[in-house]
Each structure stands twice: as structure tokens, then as C-alpha cells.
Amino acid sequence: MADLLIVGSFALDTIHTPTTSRERILGGTGSHASYGASFFTKVFASGVVGEDWRSDDTKMLAAHNIDVENLEVRPGTKTCFWEAKYSEDMNYRDTLDIQLNVLADYHPVLTEAAKKCPYIFLANNPPTAQMEVIAQCEEPKLIVADTMNFYIDNMKESLLELLPQVDGLILNDSEAQMLSGKRDLFDAGDFIRQLGPRFVIIKKGEHGSLFMGEDGELCVLPAYPSRQVVEPTGAGDCFAGSFMGYIASRDVADYKTIRDALLYGTVTASFTIEDFSFDALRRASREEIDARFRQMKEMLQF
Amino acid sequence: MADLLIVGSFALDTIHTPTTSRERILGGTGSHASYGASFFTKVFASGVVGEDWRSDDTKMLAAHNIDVENLEVRPGTKTCFWEAKYSEDMNYRDTLDIQLNVLADYHPVLTEAAKKCPYIFLANNPPTAQMEVIAQCEEPKLIVADTMNFYIDNMKESLLELLPQVDGLILNDSEAQMLSGKRDLFDAGDFIRQLGPRFVIIKKGEHGSLFMGEDGELCVLPAYPSRQVVEPTGAGDCFAGSFMGYIASRDVADYKTIRDALLYGTVTASFTIEDFSFDALRRASREEIDARFRQMKEMLQF
């Protein structure tokens, strides 16, 4: 059992689905990843928020095996805010508003304890900030980063500088296509691996995920067949965080552990989509996650 | 080991991909399904073609464990013809031309041997023709049908009459959504099962397939991770035919056999997409299909 550092955004989201709107609910890549990961191991969550951040959200994270010493509340600033609207069929979402606020000028500074985490997940953040984290890590065993279309478009050079510094990259299918210029996801994975990471994980939303490793390892997994899809924001971050949390809990990143971690990421994220924000995941127990793990294991057993 | 009757279309296809065009190549739902199935069991293929049909194609089928006595060559008519063009990213295809020709007035008439097949796959055909087949089958153990958007749109009443007469329905994701009016594929599957079939299989193309059974059985499988996608026409029919072929070869349709059949359908269809028409599948051996089955089994083993 080893500790996991997660650095990412901690945000307030306003989300509109065809039937419901929820205002200023807990969101952010770092928070979703940390909560998922903390089912498996102790997480050091790092990020910055503003004065409008609710201390109850910090308490909720802290009560779930998450060290919040590195979650800075900066006076005189506002928390990152994101507003999005889902399409009628929930297949697409439009960003209606994004206010980086305190995130606009963010330079992560880690506590001594956080610097010593051997497992590091760099959730969505500017690649420059992700590299600042890596520079502070003292005993890294496994560094995995997420990225997004915005940084691929606008910070490509920094992103290409980051990639050789990470062991793995996790990103969406459309982002993998954008970064590689390849339509075929396997081609995209090959291309991205040549940019530095030993392995690539491509998230395909409701269609599951894809892992490609340095020795030709290839694993394609379906999503958990959830019957209760309410709102999917954060599922990809929860998947990535839980993946890393499971690996840290085993303190080894061989292929067998990685595959189990992919399945744990899959089933943990399946709770995220079953309600807004953290609502369904907060109701879930490790036992329920394990039950879905066994259910998928059985479904995929031939 | 039991025999399998497959009734469907036998056609000539002209296919354009962004890089290549191939004219009047062997196509049709019945031919793709029969060839896939014949890796596993003896197939009785039933359909009608015109004078322009190539006898070499009949010979090719006959040489692959397919009884062609029920493949009628009708003088004075032309074979069904279909022309389609794939989009730049191969994600979509437009039908440029469809000439039903001899299929326009097709009433299947089975030989005595074909009537005795216990396993029956009704590949894409008008639901009226599919019901005419069922009426002739003397000892059915398992009847499974495929359908498509055209019949859902234009022959809904006949389709609704057919559904209680089949054990299973196989269709694409968009067709399942169209037939059910439900966006969520699990909801669509529930809805369709209430129209009659004991089980529903939804084909999701590159995203795999979904099985829903009468006792709440639910199985989601990814597609085989093929690195060589050339042209996918026929893959769905090959999947369905191979699924049925494997079940007939075991002569039992319990859930364990159905699941193995889904995986065999998946890996057999993976050859179809790796070249035009039957070219890659003709090069494949049962041993290579078994090798891909074992590869997926291992990939999905947790």
C-alpha cells in the first residue's frame, strides 16, 4: 500500500441536463480523481481554490482518506467555475461558461509529505503546471498524466515537453485523435507512445477504454453496463484516479495490476454517472465497487 | 453438431472507400452470414440470385461447408445490386444505388433437407419473407432474425408480427434505437424483448456488442482490436452468422454457449473488416479464428 499524489482542478460546476439543472456543485478533475482513488489508498490531493469554496467539500474529501494539506484556499480569489449544458440525448455537451479564476495563475507547491508520494497522477492542468509538480516529486515510481483538447490546441509545445517525463498518458478518444492526427485509435495510441509515455490509456466514454503498453500489450474493455445514467461529468477523471489508486494500493505497476486497475477504474467511474457531482459515488461503498468488479469479471470470463 | 439454415440476400456490391473502389464484388447478408457460420457447422444457405450471378461464387460457398441447393438462380432476372461510398474517416457510408432486382418479389421455398434444420438464422430480408421461412421450418430449436432500418420504417406491422415468432433478434445500435424509440441501448433492449424475442443482440460496430436475455442476462463485449481495418461491409452479418454457427455446432443454446458464441462471432467478423468482401475471411482458417478467440479470452480474463 503506497500513497498517491493527485494534482488537478477543484472547481464549482453548473450543469444542465435535459431534465435538471444543478448550480455550483462540486466538480473539477482533481476532486473527481481523488475521490475515486481514495477508495483504494491514501491520496494527497493538491490544487487551489478561492474564497467561495465550501469548507464542507474539503471536509467531505478529508473524511474519505484524502489528505487536504495541499489544497490551498487563496484569499481574494474565486474558485474555477464551469457551466455546461448536455444535449437532448446526453451525447454532447456545450461549455456555456468557463472562468479559470484562481487557476489562471497556478503554480503547485507541494508539502514535504506530498513530495514523497511514489505514485503521481497529474489530472487535467496546463502541462507547464504538470511539469512543475514532477520537478518537486522526490521518489516517483509511476507518473501518469491526463490532458485535454485545450492544451493540445494551445500548449502543444509544453505538452510535447511533458510527455517524455511521464510513464503513462490518459486521454479521451477525440483528444487522442487530435494529438496524433490519426483517426484509428490504435494508430493514435502508437503515435502517442512514440512521444514519450510507456503506455497510453484512451477513454471512450460509454464505449469503455483502451490500454496500449510498451511491449505490445493491448487491452480493450467495455464500460460497466450501468442502467442508471444521470450525468457523466467527472467519470473520466474518476476512472483515471481509481486506476491510479488501485495501482498505488498494490504498490506495483506490472501488467496484471494495470489490467485489474483498468477494471477497477471502470466500475468506480460507473457510480459517478449515476447521479450529479459526487452524489452517487458518495453513496457507494468499497464493497459495492468490489461487487461490480466481480460482476464484470464474471461477464468477461470465457 | 446440428445444421444451420441461413436465409438472406446474396448480392453484388460496388464499394468505394477513400482510397479504393471495388466493383460487383460478392456481398449480401446471407452470403456473409453463411460463410462465417460455415467455420463452425454445416450451413444450408437459402436465397435467390439472377443470371449475372457468378457460378464461381456459388462454388466458393459450396467448398466451405455450405449446402447451396436452396440458392436459386432465376433465369431472366438480375442479382440484387448495392453501391455504397464510405466517408473519409470510414465512419459513415452513403448508399449510392440499390437495385433489389430478383429480390423484389422473393418468396423463399426450402428443400426438404433445409426444412429440417433445427437452427435458423433469418438474415436481413423483408419480415414477410422471414415469416414465410419460419412457416416452412419443421423442427426449429432456435430461430434468430436480423432486421434493418428500412423494414422498421416501411414494414413495421409485419416486423411486429415476426418478433413473437423468433427466439432472438440481432440488430444495429441505431436500428435498436429506431425500433424502440429509446436512446439508451439497455432501455432499447428491454423494449424490444417485450415485443417478443427472448433475447436481443445489439451490434455496435467498432464498439462491440451487447446481449440481453430473458432472465436479466446482460453481456457487453468489445470488438476484437483489429489493427488492419480496410472495409467493414458484411461484418455484422458475419458476426450474426458465426454466432449462430457456433451455437448450432454445440447443439445447445444455454447462456454459456451463447456467450462463447458472441465471442466467436466477434473474432470471426474481425477478419471480414480486414479486406474487401470475403477476401480476408477466405484467407482465414478455423485455427486463426480460434487463436483470436483465445487472445480475447485472455485479454478479458481478470
Side-chain angles (χ1 to χ4, degrees):
Chain A
M1 183 80 75
D3 294 340
L4 169 64
L5 168 65
I6 294 183
V7 187
S9 65
F10 292 76
L12 296 171
D13 292 348
T14 290
I15 308 275
H16 309 279
T17 70
T19 56
T20 316
S21 289
R22 294 280 296 272
E23 298 205 351
R24 296 176 68 77
I25 53 181
L26 177 60
T29 62
S31 47
H32 281 288
S34 296
Y35 201 92
S38 61
F39 281 100
F40 303 96
T41 199
K42 182 174 181 186
V43 175
F44 287 75
S46 171
V48 64
V49 293
E51 284 179 337
D52 54 347
W53 178 258
R54 292 179 294 257
S55 60
D56 278 358
D57 286 335
T58 302
K59 281 180 200 146
M60 188 269 282
L61 297 172
H64 205 263
N65 209 17
I66 300 173
D67 180 296
V68 293
E69 284 300 304
N70 292 267
L71 184 55
E72 177 195 349
V73 183
R74 196 173 296 173
T77 68
K78 287 176 73 180
T79 301
C80 175
F81 174 77
W82 179 65
E83 182 169 4
K85 183 179 172 155
Y86 280 87
S87 63
E88 211 42 55
D89 62 6
M90 293 295 290
N91 260 345
Y92 302 97
R93 67 179 180 215
D94 280 332
T95 290
L96 302 182
D97 191 10
I98 173 118
Q99 299 168 19
L100 285 180
N101 294 331
V102 65
L103 271 190
D105 181 39
Y106 172 47
H107 298 280
V109 178
L110 302 178
T111 60
E112 289 307 311
K115 287 177 185 172
K116 292 197 163 41
C117 286
Y119 293 86
I120 296 129
F121 177 55
L122 306 165
N124 247 316
N125 253 332
T128 44
Q130 292 175 315
M131 285 187 280
E132 287 171 22
V133 173
I134 294 174
Q136 296 172 65
C137 290
E138 294 174 356
E139 298 163 17
K141 283 187 180 175
L142 187 77
I143 304 175
V144 173
D146 198 331
T147 194
M148 68 183 293
N149 46 5
F150 182 79
Y151 304 121
I152 296 170
D153 260 350
N154 299 293
M155 300 186 73
K156 185 78 167 276
E157 215 166 304
S158 299
L159 183 58
L160 294 178
E161 196 185 331
L162 166 76
L163 292 182
Q165 301 179 35
V166 302
D167 297 289
L169 184 70
I170 301 185
L171 72 183
N172 290 338
D173 42 10
S174 61
E175 294 161 350
Q177 290 168 329
M178 187 189 286
L179 178 55
S180 65
K182 311 274 182 195
R183 190 259 158 199
D184 181 277
L185 293 181
F186 302 114
D187 293 345
D190 278 344
F191 185 95
I192 293 168
R193 280 215 316 102
Q194 286 171 15
L195 298 176
R198 288 192 291 113
F199 67 80
V200 173
I201 297 173
I202 300 177
K203 299 177 285 188
K204 302 192 289 177
E206 64 175 317
H207 299 303
S209 62
L210 160 64
F211 173 92
M212 293 176 74
E214 63 187 329
D215 296 317
E217 298 96 340
L218 182 56
C219 182
V220 184
L221 288 181
Y224 176 83
S226 180
R227 295 304 311 262
Q228 169 79 0
V229 181
V230 173
E231 200 276 291
T233 301
D237 300 308
C238 180
F239 167 84
S242 308
F243 168 81
M244 289 298 289
Y246 180 76
I247 290 177
S249 79
R250 308 294 302 182
D251 197 9
V252 60
D254 59 11
Y255 187 47
K256 192 207 169 313
T257 308
I258 282 177
R259 280 163 41 76
D260 283 346
L262 289 169
L263 202 59
Y264 268 113
T266 298
V267 297
T268 310
S270 74
F271 287 98
T272 299
I273 67 174
E274 295 181 354
D275 207 338
F276 282 87
S277 188
F278 290 65
D279 292 2
L281 202 56
R282 286 183 67 175
R283 291 191 295 267
S285 64
R286 174 64 193 264
E287 288 66 36
E288 288 172 283
I289 290 170
D290 286 341
R292 290 195 179 184
F293 183 92
R294 285 191 304 272
Q295 188 189 342
M296 280 204 80
K297 180 178 161 139
E298 201 175 310
M299 183 181 91
L300 300 173
Q301 167 91 52
F302 288 91
Chain B
M1 181 82 74
D3 295 339
L4 170 64
L5 168 65
I6 294 184
V7 187
S9 66
F10 292 76
L12 296 171
D13 292 349
T14 290
I15 308 276
H16 309 279
T17 70
T19 57
T20 316
S21 288
R22 295 280 296 272
E23 298 205 350
R24 297 177 68 76
I25 53 181
L26 177 60
T29 62
S31 47
H32 281 288
S34 296
Y35 201 92
S38 62
F39 281 100
F40 303 96
T41 199
K42 182 174 180 183
V43 175
F44 286 74
S46 172
V48 65
V49 293
E51 283 178 338
D52 54 347
W53 179 258
R54 291 178 297 257
S55 60
D56 278 358
D57 285 336
T58 302
K59 282 180 199 147
M60 188 270 281
L61 297 172
H64 205 263
N65 210 17
I66 299 173
D67 180 296
V68 293
E69 284 300 304
N70 292 269
L71 184 54
E72 176 195 352
V73 183
R74 195 173 297 172
T77 66
K78 287 174 74 180
T79 302
C80 174
F81 174 77
W82 180 63
E83 182 169 2
K85 182 178 173 158
Y86 280 88
S87 63
E88 211 43 53
D89 62 6
M90 294 295 291
N91 261 345
Y92 302 97
R93 69 180 179 215
D94 281 332
T95 290
L96 303 183
D97 191 11
I98 174 115
Q99 298 169 20
L100 285 180
N101 295 329
V102 66
L103 272 191
D105 181 38
Y106 172 47
H107 299 281
V109 178
L110 301 177
T111 61
E112 289 308 311
K115 286 177 186 172
K116 295 197 160 44
C117 285
Y119 293 86
I120 296 128
F121 177 55
L122 306 166
N124 246 317
N125 253 332
T128 44
Q130 292 175 316
M131 284 188 280
E132 287 171 23
V133 173
I134 294 174
Q136 296 173 62
C137 289
E138 294 174 355
E139 299 162 19
K141 284 188 181 174
L142 186 78
I143 303 176
V144 174
D146 198 331
T147 195
M148 67 184 292
N149 45 7
F150 181 80
Y151 304 122
I152 297 169
D153 260 352
N154 298 292
M155 300 185 74
K156 185 79 166 276
E157 214 165 305
S158 300
L159 183 57
L160 294 178
E161 196 185 333
L162 166 75
L163 291 181
Q165 301 180 36
V166 302
D167 298 288
L169 184 70
I170 301 185
L171 72 181
N172 290 338
D173 41 9
S174 61
E175 293 161 353
Q177 290 167 330
M178 188 190 287
L179 177 56
S180 65
K182 310 274 183 196
R183 190 260 158 197
D184 181 277
L185 293 181
F186 302 114
D187 292 345
D190 278 343
F191 186 95
I192 293 168
R193 279 214 318 100
Q194 285 171 15
L195 299 176
R198 287 192 290 114
F199 66 82
V200 173
I201 297 173
I202 299 177
K203 299 178 285 188
K204 302 191 289 176
E206 64 174 316
H207 299 304
S209 62
L210 161 62
F211 172 93
M212 294 177 73
E214 65 187 325
D215 295 317
E217 300 96 339
L218 182 57
C219 181
V220 184
L221 288 180
Y224 176 83
S226 181
R227 296 303 311 260
Q228 169 80 2
V229 180
V230 173
E231 200 276 292
T233 302
D237 300 308
C238 180
F239 167 85
S242 308
F243 168 81
M244 289 297 289
Y246 179 76
I247 289 176
S249 79
R250 309 293 302 183
D251 197 8
V252 61
D254 59 13
Y255 188 47
K256 192 209 169 312
T257 307
I258 282 176
R259 281 165 39 79
D260 283 346
L262 290 169
L263 202 59
Y264 267 113
T266 299
V267 297
T268 310
S270 75
F271 288 98
T272 299
I273 66 173
E274 295 182 354
D275 206 338
F276 283 87
S277 188
F278 291 65
D279 292 2
L281 202 57
R282 286 183 67 177
R283 292 192 296 268
S285 63
R286 174 64 194 264
E287 288 67 37
E288 288 172 283
I289 289 170
D290 286 341
R292 288 194 179 184
F293 182 92
R294 286 191 303 272
Q295 187 189 341
M296 280 205 80
K297 180 178 160 138
E298 202 176 310
M299 183 182 92
L300 301 173
Q301 168 88 54
F302 288 91

